[in-house]
Amino acid sequence: MIGMKATQATQSWFLAWGITMLWLLLSGVAVAANENSWSQGRDQNAEQIVVTATKTEKNLEATPGSIEVVTAEEIEEMNALTVAEALENALGLVVSSETGRVKSPSIRGAKSKHTLVLIDGRRIVAGFGDLVNINQIPVVMVDRIEVVRGPASSLYGSDALGGVVNIITRKPTATLRGELTGQYGINKDSEGDAFLGSAWGNAFLGPVNFNGGVQYRGKDKWNRIDGDELDDGDDIEIASGSARFSFKLWDNQMLTGGLDYSNGSMEGLRFIEGKSRNREVDDEHLSGFLQYDARVMDKYQFTLLVNRSQFTNEVTLDPAASSTEEGAKDYVLNQVEGRFSGLLFERHLATVGVEFRDETREDNSGRKLDADNLSCFIQDEYQITDSLYLVLGARYDEHSEFGSELTPKISLVCDINSHLKWKASYGQGFRAPSISELFITSWRQRGKIIYEANPDLDPETSKSYEVGLEGYYGCFRGGVTAFRNDYDDLIEARFVESIGSGQQKKDYYILENVASARTQGVELRGNLSLPLGFSLDGGATWLDTENRETGKELEGQPNFKGDLKLSYQNEVLRLHANLRTSYYGKAYSSAGDEPDYALVHAYVAKGITDQLKLFVGIDNLFNDDEREPTFFYGGVNVTF
């Protein structure tokens, strides 16, 4: 999002102040809280159900590994319009732009390609740059976002080396409800006008429940530097819609289904192949699914899923360039999964499943390429004792292009006492080379660099370890986790030759499995309920990375990320407000380190009635000159 850049001294003071204040408050309350604490003796997250970590329903506090939930309420009070904005403050996660202005999540220093993005557990086909652009996924239908930090290939297969982002949508219910939202914003330079309109509704017709949401978002281009013939922000228009239905067939049997559609365009000036060119990108997403669920004797659950996801991307340059970036491309993913879970011998919850996945890519020349994957997985959740819980899992994938891969994982949760848990896990992950990496020549950095494909690529692999403590006491909840990830056979570009000179110079590379890397660090999270309706929430990640081939840090990964939010809620006055700040440490780059910076945002919402709410906010409160100027917005929300 938008931010504030400070001097080194100011940033150091800011960081020290934020962490010191957070830990003084949290530590002080954790020690002092007893009968007089404001919410004594109850874990505030104990009843929150999550599904991503094990593919079975689990209380958040009992889930193995590191998982975070971004709720609909948190998304609303960030005024996040897309999934990219909703994840800005997620612990251990950075929303990065690795290819153009596509935004994708990066977890614990891994590449964005190493984070698997799902919607309700279903895969989304990757598009431009082999990435899922979460900046084009609206939040109008989002109930929560579950973020699993650490490898999850033992359940999900390829792409889950660094972790998983699972976008959980609102479920249809037998109620009649609706919601309308409209807002407008503009930056301090009177540019970047932004407007949004969205609607959501839930209804029922006999035994069929259904809901749906639509959103239209637009933003005008903006430019920090007058006269440079380039745009810092594009003209953006994105229209999207989603629909879900559920139909109870018989007792304990349910059929659900849905569609997701979006159409977006971005247009702006770029400097490509030595010339200023107008670049227009049109994206279209269409996904549909059907899912059958059956529960038998309250001990056994069967699920059958059929999913199809399609993405069309078309790039137009004016004037045209020699780059193969131009033209239309179609990406299609078909997925079929069957899964069975059942309680065995009272203490074992076993899950077994099979999945078939087929992916194709076709460009405007008529060239069509495809790859498929067949896999099976098994998981045992073993409640050894009332205080000791063990999860063992493994998955076997057979890929049509590179062969097979086996990825195991083991996790352990130990209740030290009623307020404190110890968690540890070890897991392996992999990412299969994409169709583009195997067969398609790609043009990077505005046509200056050409990457040649390599059909002999092997999968990228990882081995990951983590150990942590999580607990709550009175009005305090927090945790600390240490982690280490070792990556091998990373796909990187090896230089081959240069052709031409000056602005016409082009550098040619070939993709090979040549790199290995290590990331390690510590994550810290705390939440404190204060008197008079205030609360304080904060998190910090210290990250150390190394490219083992060069001995240097990994590019684009900040060595520190810290977030702090002070919130206020008064239900009597219908008043909600927050002040949010984030600090990003420096990130290594071969072209020169990216400097550290801080972000500050403010939000206030006032309910006029139970159905009508007005809200206003400011992003980039201190007007960082590396990002969009200070942005003001306001809007209205109506529920019925």
Side-chain angles (χ1 to χ4, degrees):
M1 290 174 61
I2 352 186
M4 170 192 85
K5 187 177 181 182
T7 65
Q8 187 66 43
T10 301
Q11 291 165 342
S12 299
W13 173 86
F14 177 88
L15 177 59
W17 173 86
I19 295 178
T20 302
M21 289 300 296
L22 177 63
W23 274 103
L24 281 174
L25 286 167
L26 296 184
S27 300
V29 173
V31 172
N34 45 46
E35 308 79 43
N36 299 318
S37 61
W38 300 292
S39 55
Q40 172 66 25
R42 186 172 69 89
D43 183 347
Q44 300 300 309
N45 290 329
E47 297 178 0
Q48 191 165 27
I49 301 299
V50 295
V51 295
T52 310
T54 59
K55 286 199 174 185
T56 57
E57 292 186 349
K58 192 78 56 194
N59 289 335
L60 177 59
E61 56 90 19
T63 301
S66 299
I67 185 167
E68 178 178 356
V69 178
V70 182
T71 66
E73 291 76 14
E74 291 172 319
I75 293 171
E76 178 182 349
E77 294 186 2
M78 293 173 64
N79 194 49
L81 307 182
T82 69
V83 170
E85 295 176 356
L87 291 174
E88 286 286 351
N89 293 336
L91 185 66
L93 184 150
V94 174
V95 178
S96 58
S97 300
E98 291 192 5
T99 302
R101 289 172 185 166
V102 172
K103 291 187 177 295
S104 297
S106 168
I107 296 177
R108 290 180 171 175
K111 292 183 178 179
S112 293
K113 293 181 181 181
H114 299 157
T115 299
L116 177 63
V117 179
L118 307 170
I119 295 182
D120 294 324
R122 303 182 303 276
R123 282 188 174 250
I124 312 168
V125 66
F128 188 74
D130 298 323
L131 298 170
V132 174
N133 186 6
I134 60 173
N135 202 40
Q136 291 195 1
I137 302 177
V139 298
V140 63
M141 280 283 287
V142 173
D143 177 68
R144 66 186 188 274
I145 303 172
E146 298 180 5
V147 180
V148 175
R149 298 186 294 273
S153 291
S154 62
L155 280 177
Y156 297 99
S158 178
D159 306 333
L161 280 82
V164 177
V165 171
N166 191 7
I167 304 158
I168 309 296
T169 61
R170 302 185 186 188
K171 300 297 186 288
T173 59
T175 58
L176 186 62
R177 293 187 295 155
E179 182 176 347
L180 298 172
T181 300
Q183 74 175 69
Y184 172 79
I186 191 170
N187 69 31
K188 76 174 189 65
D189 295 332
S190 300
E191 293 183 323
D193 297 48
F195 44 91
L196 172 134
S198 68
W200 173 84
N202 188 96
F204 62 95
L205 184 61
V208 181
N209 302 325
F210 51 91
N211 68 8
V214 294
Q215 177 174 301
Y216 181 81
R217 180 168 64 98
K219 188 165 188 176
D220 293 342
K221 64 180 63 177
W222 56 274
N223 188 12
R224 275 282 192 178
I225 305 173
D226 294 333
D228 67 351
E229 298 185 350
L230 299 176
D231 294 316
D232 293 320
D234 290 339
D235 275 326
I236 299 174
E237 290 187 46
I238 300 175
S240 58
S242 298
R244 300 284 186 270
F245 80 87
S246 64
F247 176 54
K248 188 175 182 179
L249 300 172
W250 295 279
D251 288 343
N252 300 320
Q253 296 186 58
M254 185 74 71
L255 181 67
T256 58
L259 292 171
D260 297 299
Y261 176 80
S262 72
N263 188 297
S265 66
M266 296 188 299
E267 182 181 3
L269 291 174
R270 303 281 201 285
F271 195 74
I272 301 174
E273 294 187 5
K275 184 180 294 186
S276 178
R277 306 174 194 269
N278 189 68
R279 182 177 183 269
E280 184 174 357
V281 180
D282 291 300
D283 292 337
E284 186 177 52
H285 297 253
L286 177 62
S287 296
F289 76 96
L290 280 174
Q291 181 170 316
Y292 168 77
D293 293 281
R295 183 177 292 275
V296 181
M297 300 169 55
D298 290 329
K299 288 187 175 182
Y300 309 106
Q301 175 80 34
F302 174 74
T303 298
L304 178 63
L305 168 69
V306 179
N307 175 45
R308 179 181 174 89
S309 178
Q310 182 172 342
F311 170 69
T312 301
N313 169 261
E314 184 171 5
V315 179
T316 304
L317 298 176
D318 184 20
S322 60
S323 149
T324 57
E325 179 189 42
E326 292 189 82
K329 306 173 188 66
D330 289 315
Y331 307 80
V332 177
L333 180 148
N334 294 307
Q335 175 189 12
V336 179
E337 180 181 328
R339 184 170 72 251
F340 173 84
S341 297
L343 186 63
L344 306 176
F345 310 112
E346 300 302 324
R347 287 187 174 270
H348 294 266
L349 179 57
T351 301
V352 295
V354 294
E355 181 199 47
F356 176 77
R357 193 169 68 250
D358 176 74
E359 298 182 57
T360 62
R361 182 190 189 277
E362 184 175 5
D363 58 32
N364 55 356
S365 69
R367 184 185 184 190
K368 188 174 183 179
L369 301 164
D370 66 83
D372 58 69
N373 189 91
L374 179 63
S375 62
C376 59
F377 55 89
I378 184 169
Q379 176 182 263
D380 179 23
E381 301 176 57
Y382 179 24
Q383 192 71 50
I384 302 173
T385 68
D386 291 344
S387 60
L388 194 61
Y389 167 62
L390 175 69
V391 180
L392 294 169
R395 175 169 168 140
Y396 178 82
D397 287 82
E398 184 71 30
H399 194 275
S400 61
E401 299 303 322
F402 69 79
S404 61
E405 195 71 30
L406 177 67
T407 47
K409 186 172 183 178
I410 178 172
S411 300
L412 188 66
V413 180
C414 178
D415 292 342
I416 298 174
N417 57 43
S418 61
H419 296 283
L420 188 63
K421 292 180 182 292
W422 176 82
K423 296 183 178 183
S425 68
Y426 165 79
Q428 296 181 12
F430 82 99
R431 185 186 78 88
S434 68
I435 291 176
S436 297
E437 292 168 330
L438 290 167
F439 305 116
I440 305 295
T441 297
S442 61
W443 296 61
R444 310 289 178 89
Q445 294 189 12
R446 300 165 181 172
K448 297 178 182 178
I449 296 178
I450 296 91
Y451 283 4
E452 299 286 353
N454 185 351
D456 297 322
L457 290 172
D458 292 323
E460 301 174 311
T461 61
S462 70
K463 296 179 180 179
S464 301
Y465 316 78
E466 72 172 51
V467 60
L469 287 172
E470 295 181 4
Y472 68 96
Y473 191 80
C475 53
F476 164 76
R477 176 181 174 85
V480 57
T481 301
F483 62 88
R484 178 187 173 101
N485 306 302
D486 293 304
Y487 299 97
D488 289 305
D489 293 324
L490 294 177
I491 298 172
E492 298 287 351
R494 179 177 61 82
F495 177 73
V496 177
E497 63 177 341
S498 295
I499 296 178
S501 60
Q503 293 186 344
Q504 302 305 314
K505 179 185 176 183
K506 298 184 185 299
D507 296 326
Y508 287 81
Y509 293 77
I510 188 168
L511 297 175
E512 293 182 346
N513 295 99
V514 296
S516 63
R518 182 233 345 121
T519 68
Q520 60 187 12
V522 176
E523 296 166 343
L524 191 68
R525 169 64 77 186
N527 175 268
L528 177 64
S529 297
L530 299 168
L532 304 177
F534 287 94
S535 64
L536 189 64
D537 184 84
T541 302
W542 287 265
L543 182 66
D544 175 57
T545 67
E546 180 186 8
N547 183 324
R548 287 180 170 151
E549 306 304 313
T550 64
K552 298 182 180 297
E553 298 177 40
L554 298 180
E555 294 205 25
Q557 296 295 334
N559 55 19
F560 176 85
K561 180 192 174 192
D563 301 285
L564 193 62
K565 179 174 73 171
L566 178 65
S567 301
Y568 173 74
Q569 295 189 26
N570 187 316
E571 299 302 335
V572 176
L573 297 177
R574 301 190 184 98
L575 183 63
H576 291 212
N578 65 69
L579 182 67
R580 311 183 309 278
T581 183
S582 300
Y583 177 88
Y584 293 79
K586 73 175 184 65
Y588 168 75
S589 172
S590 58
D593 289 354
E594 301 172 15
D596 51 353
Y597 60 96
L599 314 176
V600 177
H601 317 289
Y603 171 89
V604 178
K606 176 70 171 72
I608 307 303
T609 68
D610 289 341
Q611 289 76 39
L612 176 64
K613 179 176 66 179
L614 304 179
F615 59 91
V616 295
I618 304 175
D619 288 335
N620 188 13
L621 195 58
F622 295 95
N623 193 34
D624 171 39
D625 59 5
E626 296 296 325
R627 287 164 177 78
E628 184 175 4
T630 301
F631 187 81
F632 307 92
Y633 63 86
V636 59
N637 174 266
V638 180
T639 59
F640 51 89

